[in-house]
Amino acid sequence: MKFIPVKVNKKTCLETGVLFSLLFLIVGFLGEWAPAYKVSAAGLLLTLIFPSFWRPLAFLWLSFGQMLGVLTSNLILFLVYFFLVCPIAWARKLKGVDTLKLNQFKKSPKSVLEKVRHLYSDDDLKRQF
């Protein structure tokens, strides 16, 4: 889990200002809260005149997004591993499948590697996948 420091510049401040102005516009439209339109217009005007006003909020918003991205990707990987890979491994273990031949390893002086007896031709290299 690597956290990369968030760099807030003028562009991210503008994006944050427009985002929150749009958020208040949506709240005013869906929630029928009349002052939201005025707050949205003031926020948009403030964004155009003085975009660095949104710098602290942009830093918090981008940090939250980065944290959420790390958490979500780790959670998805955990769920895929636990609900897909583990049941397959448990089923193979119950069936007694030993693809790697770990039970035969170091039991005798012979090698557990299998020799491939196949003569490769040009056709094998044309369509590898």
Side-chain angles (χ1 to χ4, degrees), residues 12-127:
T12 55
C13 290
L14 281 168
E15 290 172 353
T16 304
V18 170
L19 174 77
F20 280 99
S21 297
L22 183 63
L23 180 70
F24 276 108
L25 196 63
I26 291 171
V27 165
F29 182 71
L30 296 178
E32 297 179 8
W33 183 53
Y37 294 119
K38 293 178 183 175
V39 172
S40 175
L44 202 54
L45 188 64
L46 187 64
T47 300
L48 293 173
I49 295 171
F50 187 58
S52 61
F53 171 79
W54 297 102
R55 185 173 299 278
L57 192 59
F59 177 77
L60 291 175
W61 183 252
L62 292 173
S63 298
F64 173 71
Q66 189 177 20
M67 245 180 3
L68 198 61
V70 168
L71 177 73
T72 306
S73 63
N74 286 342
L75 181 68
I76 289 172
L77 286 173
F78 167 75
L79 292 174
V80 165
Y81 180 78
F82 193 73
F83 291 112
L84 187 70
V85 176
C86 285
I88 292 171
W90 292 332
R92 288 176 59 93
K93 188 158 185 115
L94 286 174
K95 286 183 179 181
V97 177
D98 188 19
T99 308
L100 296 176
K101 298 181 183 176
L102 295 175
N103 293 331
Q104 298 174 10
F105 190 67
K106 292 193 177 180
K107 300 278 185 195
S108 69
K110 292 183 178 180
S111 175
V112 292
L113 297 175
E114 294 179 7
K115 292 187 179 182
V116 178
R117 300 189 187 277
H118 178 74
L119 183 61
Y120 291 99
S121 64
D122 294 339
D123 293 333
D124 293 328
L125 297 175
K126 287 181 182 172
R127 293 190 186 136

